[in-house]
Amino acid sequence: MDEYALIMRHEDGLKIASPEQIQIWMQQTMDWIAGIKAKEKYVSGTGLLFADAKVVKSNKMITNGPFGDIKETIGGLIVVKAESVEEAAEFAKGCPVLQGEGNTVEVRKIATH
Amino acid sequence: MFRNESRKITSVLCKCFGIEFLQVAEDITHDTFLKALETWTYKGVPPDPVAWLYVVAKNQARNYLKRNTLFLEKISPALQYLNSERQDMDIDTSDQHIRDSELQMLFAICHPSISSESQVGLALKILCGFGIDEIATAFLTSREVINKRLFRAKDTLRRIKADIEMPPDSEIEKRLDAVLTTIYLLFSEGYYSECQDSVLREDFCMEAIRLTALLLENKQTHQPRVDALMALMYFQASRFPARRAGNREIVLYDDQDESLWDQVLIARGAFHLRAASTGSSLSTYHLEAAIAYWHTIKEDTPQKWENILSLFDQLLQIQYSPVAALNRTFALFKVKGPGEAIAVAEKLELTDNHYYFTLLGTLYLKVDQEKARAYLQKAYLLARTSPDKHTILKKMATCNKS
């Protein structure tokens, strides 16, 4: 069994979301995670805050964002256990982030010795 | 819960910062909820979520103060207040202070210098915690239109430096009238909107009731006409379950199953109507509440319609409105028969209103089939929602049969 990171990329559309909408997203994401936990395939997860984000460029210049160049940016990730990348991708299909057009969930195997 | 807490946090922050920083207060509130989203989702909901939100909001506010020097200079009094009590409680988040802040924000938002449309929008956004999308849906318009409207309104409030305080006693009457108008419009937006989202619409109405309750809790604003408005809203809201009983569309009054009318809300309405019957002045809210009361009795009796007719007569004397005049005509028909009602109705000439033609069609049904059909056809062309169209078709069918 290997571990895979499911990396959620979405727009910072949150600036326009209503409190009600935020609550719905939270519930959906928690339900999604609970489903993976029930199969004992959940390892860990974390959200990444958009506020105060910085990007350090190769010339050591610090900029706000990473939101200038790309529309979809990493909003959070979870790590799951799976027999194959296909199984991990099945978990990713249930991610509520995918309700937003253009949003993606990237599935990457975590390197081990 | 998120919506309730967000409006409270915005009101309290704004009260602390001043109306010039309404946008800052909104942004801080918003960031607080984003932080909850990114944290609770993965780490679990904290044991006391509300307290968690307040702590985060206070921290965000403090960080903002540290960073923004312009902000520092402009609100130094508030800053001192924040610093001096930094050790324990920075911003007062007691229930009483939250309620006071909300009430004061209500008066600030219903400032005579901004349009009533904007007042309703701002109230929905700031005092009720609705999002731009939800407001746009209810008003059947785009997010951009609402954004622009709210931006302009906030800009005005900032320019005139509206106080987040209760108005002085000398002004309270006039300002209270403006607040009541906004709440009335907010309720109507929910009750009569053509938007199909019934949950959202009922939420609007319930928010109007909640804001009125805030007014009734405060000595200065607990006045008979506020009770009257509350009674009106409870009577109308009692019909929500019956309106919702159809598969998809709203069930109109005549077709409602009255066993679904919410008797608890009707009783609350009656309580407030009694409470409103003190003092010497009779407001339009009193009359509308009394008319709404008679509508909570489904059975048609001469007494019911005579009462309604006389209430409409008084209402029109205080404040003429075409819609009230139209409704009066229906009451007149119930009391005096079609002949007299037709004569009055034809003088109204509300030729862009489908209710007007529906009413004329109804009045003519037993008098002149041809005319009835012609009026109902006009009504059908003007009607926009399918429950309305459906009602008109049903009436047309009865006139074809006979």
Side-chain angles (χ1 to χ4, degrees), chain B residues 374-392:
Chain B
Y375 279 130
L376 289 171
Q377 252 150 16
K378 275 191 187 170
Y380 187 80
L381 291 175
L382 284 169
R384 280 191 298 259
T385 66
S386 38
D388 285 334
K389 281 184 189 280
H390 182 70
T391 310
I392 297 166

Side-chain angles (χ1 to χ4, degrees), chain B residues 48-71:
Chain B
D48 187 347
V50 175
W52 187 99
L53 289 170
Y54 287 150
V55 169
V56 170
K58 283 178 198 174
N59 284 337
Q60 308 261 83
R62 207 182 287 140
N63 288 342
Y64 187 88
L65 290 172
K66 272 192 220 149
R67 273 198 314 243
N68 193 318
T69 46
L70 172 81
F71 195 67

Side-chain angles (χ1 to χ4, degrees), chain B residues 283-353:
Chain B
S283 67
T284 54
Y285 303 117
H286 283 89
L287 295 164
E288 287 196 50
I291 292 168
Y293 163 74
W294 281 105
H295 280 91
T296 63
I297 303 164
K298 182 98 182 223
E299 196 193 350
D300 266 0
T301 59
Q303 189 204 9
K304 170 178 170 178
W305 289 106
E306 276 161 25
N307 270 296
I308 292 178
L309 180 60
S310 118
L311 289 163
F312 270 122
D313 287 341
Q314 293 178 67
L315 183 62
L316 289 169
Q317 272 169 17
I318 298 182
Q319 193 181 64
Y320 181 86
S321 87
V323 176
L326 195 59
N327 289 329
R328 178 191 171 272
T329 314
F330 185 73
L332 186 67
F333 159 65
K334 286 287 194 179
V335 175
K336 299 263 172 82
E340 212 165 306
I342 287 171
V344 173
E346 283 182 336
K347 275 189 217 140
L348 290 174
E349 291 184 357
L350 301 170
T351 49
D352 56 353
N353 186 320

Side-chain angles (χ1 to χ4, degrees), chain B residues 96-364:
Chain B
Q96 187 58 45
H97 184 73
I98 290 172
R99 275 201 299 275
D100 289 348
S101 303
E102 285 192 275
L103 192 58
Q104 291 162 3
M105 278 299 283
L106 177 58
F107 274 92
I109 282 171
C110 299
H111 196 276
S113 64
I114 56 177
S115 72
S116 56
E117 223 177 23
S118 302
Q119 290 178 11
V120 174
L122 273 185
L124 283 168
K125 178 85 184 1
I126 291 155
L127 296 172
C128 311
F130 288 102
I132 299 290
D133 281 341
E134 292 155 337
I135 301 172
T137 305
F139 281 96
L140 300 176
T141 180
S142 71
R143 184 195 290 167
E144 286 70 33
V145 170
I146 297 294
N147 259 332
K148 261 188 216 150
R149 189 183 295 168
L150 296 188
F151 179 80
R152 270 199 303 269
K154 284 184 213 170
D155 198 45
T156 308
L157 286 177
R158 190 168 53 233
R159 257 199 343 266
I160 60 164
K161 293 192 166 56
D163 288 326
I164 308 177
E165 294 289 344
M166 290 301 281
D169 279 338
S170 57
E171 281 177 36
I172 194 89
E173 288 299 315
K174 238 179 88 192
R175 296 291 303 276
L176 181 59
D177 279 338
V179 169
L180 293 180
T181 304
T182 300
I183 294 178
Y184 181 82
L185 290 174
L186 170 56
F187 186 87
S188 305
E189 192 54 46
Y191 206 79
Y192 299 107
S193 164
E194 286 170 6
C195 145
Q196 295 296 319
D197 184 341
S198 65
V199 176
L200 181 61
R201 297 171 42 147
E202 289 178 24
D203 278 354
F204 278 25
C205 293
M206 288 314 180
E207 283 298 321
I209 287 175
R210 188 184 62 79
L211 292 174
T212 311
L214 276 179
L215 292 171
L216 289 174
E217 274 171 22
N218 184 291
K219 263 195 200 136
Q220 216 184 348
T221 51
H222 186 177
Q223 299 195 18
R225 65 187 189 282
V226 183
D227 269 310
L229 175 60
M230 191 65 138
L232 168 63
M233 295 191 293
Y234 271 134
F235 287 142
Q236 303 281 65
S238 72
R239 288 197 291 277
F240 280 143
R243 273 161 55 117
R244 240 189 283 122
N247 281 335
R248 269 181 32 245
E249 281 148 0
I250 285 182
V251 182
L252 298 176
Y253 182 82
D254 281 334
D255 303 321
Q256 284 171 10
D257 172 2
E258 64 260 40
S259 71
L260 293 176
W261 290 354
D262 188 331
Q263 294 300 324
V264 173
L265 295 191
I266 293 178
R268 281 192 205 165
F271 169 83
H272 286 286
L273 190 56
R274 267 197 304 279
S277 328
T278 55
S280 53
S281 69
L282 187 67
S283 67
T284 54
Y285 303 117
H286 283 89
L287 295 164
E288 287 196 50
I291 292 168
Y293 163 74
W294 281 105
H295 280 91
T296 63
I297 303 164
K298 182 98 182 223
E299 196 193 350
D300 266 0
T301 59
Q303 189 204 9
K304 170 178 170 178
W305 289 106
E306 276 161 25
N307 270 296
I308 292 178
L309 180 60
S310 118
L311 289 163
F312 270 122
D313 287 341
Q314 293 178 67
L315 183 62
L316 289 169
Q317 272 169 17
I318 298 182
Q319 193 181 64
Y320 181 86
S321 87
V323 176
L326 195 59
N327 289 329
R328 178 191 171 272
T329 314
F330 185 73
L332 186 67
F333 159 65
K334 286 287 194 179
V335 175
K336 299 263 172 82
E340 212 165 306
I342 287 171
V344 173
E346 283 182 336
K347 275 189 217 140
L348 290 174
E349 291 184 357
L350 301 170
T351 49
D352 56 353
N353 186 320
H354 68 90
Y355 290 115
Y356 175 66
F357 289 115
T358 310
L359 178 67
L360 273 174
T362 312
L363 297 179
Y364 267 113

